[in-house]
Amino acid sequence: MSADTRPQQISSFGRARRSFREWRWQRPFWGGLWTLLAGIPIMYIPYQTMTLGDLHIRMATTAGAGSLIIGVLLIVLGLTLWFQQQSRIFAGVAAILLALVSLVVSNFGAFVIGFLLALVGGALGVSWAPGKPAANATANAGEPAVSLAKGPDEGRTHGEETDGGHRAAE
C-alpha cells in the first residue's frame, strides 16, 4: 500500500449486497426461488375469474382445494430450500412430484407455467451441492483430486515410506 492509496469506503448498500451474495451462495437460491414462484400460479389461477365482455368464466373446480394445497406446499418447499439446505434433496424431489401432480389437479399445472417452474426449481434444488470455502480450495489446489499411485506394493522400491497409499514427500 503506498502513501497515496486511500482505503475505499464501502457504502451500506455495498455491504448489504455483498452479504446477500454470500448468503445466496451458501444455499440453492435459484431452485428455491423458482419453486416458490411455481406455487403462486398453481394457487391463483384455479380461483381466478376471467371476464370476456358480459361473460364471466370461473375456472374453480372441485380440485380447487387440491390446487391450493399444492401451491402452499410448493411455497413451503421453496422456503425450505433457502433455509434448510440439509433437506434440499427431499425438498427438490417433493417439488418435482408436486409439479407432476399439478398437471392433473390444477388445470394442467396452472397452464404449464407453475408446472415448469416447479420442475426446474426442484431439479436445481436436487442438483445443488455446497462448495468448499475459499481457504480450503486454494490450499488444496496443488494436490491431485485422484491418486494415480499404484497398489500398496506395486511400483515401490524397498525401503520407501508411504503415507496412506501415497508416496511420502522427499
Side-chain angles (χ1 to χ4, degrees):
M1 193 160 155
S2 70
D4 295 335
T5 306
R6 296 182 193 146
Q8 293 181 353
Q9 298 288 329
I10 298 175
S11 67
S12 61
F13 177 74
R15 281 191 302 272
R17 184 171 178 239
R18 184 180 305 144
S19 66
F20 176 69
R21 182 183 302 153
E22 290 174 7
W23 179 83
R24 190 181 69 204
W25 285 348
Q26 296 172 359
R27 60 202 76 247
F29 177 77
W30 293 108
L33 181 67
W34 286 43
T35 304
L36 191 137
L37 290 177
I40 295 169
I42 289 176
M43 274 190 324
Y44 180 73
I45 289 176
Y47 290 103
Q48 179 64 25
T49 302
M50 294 184 347
T51 305
L52 296 172
D54 291 335
L55 183 65
H56 297 285
I57 302 170
R58 185 163 176 95
M59 290 185 263
T61 63
T62 57
S67 299
L68 183 64
I69 291 170
I70 291 172
V72 168
L73 285 175
L74 283 171
I75 289 173
V76 168
L77 288 171
L79 293 172
T80 301
L81 285 171
W82 280 353
F83 297 110
Q84 295 291 325
Q85 303 86 279
Q86 300 83 6
S87 57
R88 70 184 185 278
I89 294 175
F90 167 75
V93 169
I96 291 170
L97 291 175
L98 284 173
L100 293 172
V101 170
S102 75
L103 283 173
V104 178
V105 173
S106 175
N107 295 337
F108 295 110
F111 301 120
V112 188
I113 298 167
F115 166 72
L116 290 176
L117 286 172
L119 204 64
V120 171
L124 287 173
V126 169
S127 65
W128 181 83
K132 292 182 180 179
N136 290 345
T138 58
N140 296 334
E143 297 179 14
V146 177
S147 172
L148 300 177
K150 298 181 181 180
D153 292 331
E154 298 176 29
R156 210 179 306 136
T157 61
H158 183 63
E160 282 185 310
E161 297 290 326
T162 61
D163 182 21
H166 301 282
R167 292 185 182 178
E170 296 180 22

